[in-house]
Amino acid sequence: ESKADGRGKLKVFEPDMLLARQMRNQMVGELKEAIAGSQLVLYYQPIIRLDTREIEGVEALVRWNHPTRGIIMPDEFIPIAEETGMISDLGGWVLRTAVEQLKKWRSDPLTAGHDFSMRINVSAADLQRLEFIEDVREALASAGLDPSLLVLELTESAVIQGNDLDRYTLNSLRRLGVGLEIDDFGTGYSSISYLRQLPVDTVKVDRTLLSALGSDPAQPALLAAVLQLIRACGLAAVWEGIESAEQADYLLSIGCTSGQGYYFSRPLPEPQLTEQLKHYKTWPVS
Ligand code: C2E
Ligand code: MG
Ligand code: MG
Ligand code: MG
């Protein structure tokens, strides 16, 4: 269609936009059912101590097991849940399910030999709700777990662009004793002064920083500098997106002792991770 042909343009675009809106509306309705019903499922990805290969954490990652479409990934529905306010119900379910799962692993004699924390991803919207603090306290209390066994992963933009309420929530959570971590560090508006000010304990470095290792000659030095920066701020570093033995070895050589990625394991459904936990004390790498 030519640009000048305004009428032609309308005819072409209108049905598409209508279709897009219908599909979205349908998805909103279905997501509501999914949260209320039992279509959400948590996958778990281990976080490994790079020197001993022990499991030091497990990150819960939500999937939507759609009745006809199969597994839908979070990038496709978390934004919709956030825009429609369903994220608090979704996040509440994730919180309770993940905490209950950790309790199961810690109380089953076959898996209790492991000592790791549970990491969950928290949406910026959660920090805007005062009830979130109570939700976290309650989930931990009803599972009888020490708060230090839960680490909340927050994206940089959520904490850095945050307002007073966010800061209040973060400080309350910290007083409760849960761990706080900045996720996807290095992708957003990272600022050194924020790293010093925020009430967080750990920083998870985004996998894009690691993916250039091997192609960009400046990258090894850059990774080492990022790690030093995090340490200088008094924080611990976790590296995400480790996909090869070379990457794991390089990180260990510069003193990074924690990481996660496909090289160790993809996120696994609970029964599969439970099997691994039963059979291996340290993570097996092929
Ligand atoms: P994230 O928290 O940064 O999670 C890491 C993502 O990287 C996960 O994608 C994980 O499967 C993937 N990943 C892990 N190791 C590797 C690797 O070695 N290579 C590559 N290429 N990718 C790797 P996933 O599961 O699709 O989740 C995407 C994002 O969705 C998460 O990013 C998080 O921001 C969000 N998300 C997931 N679950 C939840 C949840 O329960 N609540 C909220 N609010 N957000 C969630
Ligand atoms: Mg995360
Ligand atoms: Mg991340
Ligand atoms: Mg991410």
Side-chain angles (χ1 to χ4, degrees):
E1 297 295 314
S2 87
K3 243 183 165 179
D5 189 1
R7 290 179 53 199
K9 221 170 135 187
L10 259 182
K11 276 184 197 140
V12 170
F13 282 160
E14 216 174 38
D16 279 2
M17 284 170 58
L18 204 64
L19 187 66
R21 194 178 309 159
Q22 278 172 355
M23 280 173 60
R24 199 195 129 93
N25 285 345
Q26 182 181 343
M27 194 147 169
V28 169
E30 288 183 348
L31 184 55
K32 196 171 279 176
E33 287 172 36
I35 297 169
S38 41
Q39 294 172 27
L40 296 181
V41 57
L42 290 183
Y43 277 42
Y44 298 95
Q45 187 180 33
I47 294 157
I48 307 292
R49 258 196 71 155
L50 300 178
D51 50 355
T52 62
R53 299 287 159 99
E54 284 166 307
I55 302 167
E56 62 171 35
V58 161
E59 180 174 6
L61 294 156
V62 72
R63 275 96 181 87
W64 175 5
N65 193 2
H66 189 279
T68 56
R69 291 180 57 197
I71 296 284
I72 304 180
M73 300 302 278
D75 287 336
E76 216 183 309
F77 62 90
I78 292 284
I80 296 180
E82 283 174 341
E83 286 157 27
T84 54
M86 290 189 268
I87 192 70
S88 53
D89 286 341
L90 188 153
W93 178 85
V94 169
L95 170 71
R96 290 187 301 275
T97 308
V99 163
E100 277 305 318
Q101 184 56 53
L102 183 62
K103 185 214 170 102
K104 282 182 201 157
W105 281 326
R106 292 182 73 86
S107 41
D108 181 342
L110 294 174
T111 50
H114 296 274
D115 186 17
F116 57 77
S117 58
M118 178 60 75
R119 320 282 181 111
I120 65 170
N121 294 284
V122 167
S123 166
D126 285 316
L127 300 182
Q128 289 293 310
R129 295 190 305 120
L130 283 176
E131 308 84 61
F132 182 66
I133 306 160
E134 198 47 41
D135 290 353
V136 170
R137 192 203 321 271
E138 241 173 64
L140 289 164
S142 82
L145 288 181
D146 190 279
S148 65
L149 290 169
L150 180 67
V151 177
L152 305 177
E153 300 192 357
L154 312 137
T155 57
E156 261 181 310
S157 50
V159 280
I160 288 174
Q161 296 171 341
N163 52 28
D164 289 348
L165 185 54
D166 290 337
R167 215 46 68 82
Y168 175 82
T169 315
L170 288 178
N171 285 318
S172 304
L173 289 165
R174 163 144 261 204
R175 269 198 302 277
L176 197 60
V178 301
L180 299 175
E181 175 175 282
I182 295 183
D183 202 353
D184 300 343
F185 179 75
T187 52
Y189 307 84
S190 335
S191 127
I192 299 167
S193 62
Y194 272 115
L195 271 193
R196 286 290 287 159
Q197 284 168 27
L198 291 169
V200 299
D201 324 275
T202 50
V203 172
K204 194 188 275 182
V205 185
D206 194 74
R207 65 168 175 273
T208 50
L209 273 86
L210 194 55
S211 56
L213 190 69
S215 57
D216 180 352
Q219 206 63 12
L222 194 68
L223 297 191
V226 167
L227 190 64
Q228 267 183 333
L229 168 68
I230 294 169
R231 294 262 169 78
C233 291
L235 304 169
V238 180
W239 220 289
E240 75 174 16
I242 302 174
E243 295 186 352
S244 68
E246 291 71 33
Q247 291 174 341
D249 291 346
Y250 179 70
L251 287 172
L252 192 56
S253 80
I254 60 173
C256 179
T257 51
S258 309
Q260 86 189 98
Y262 295 167
Y263 171 61
F264 297 108
S265 172
R266 294 197 171 248
L268 300 172
E270 177 275 310
Q272 261 167 271
L273 183 56
T274 301
E275 275 310 297
Q276 293 274 17
L277 295 175
K278 283 179 183 169
H279 289 100
Y280 302 103
K281 176 70 183 130
T282 59
W283 198 260
V285 172
S286 44

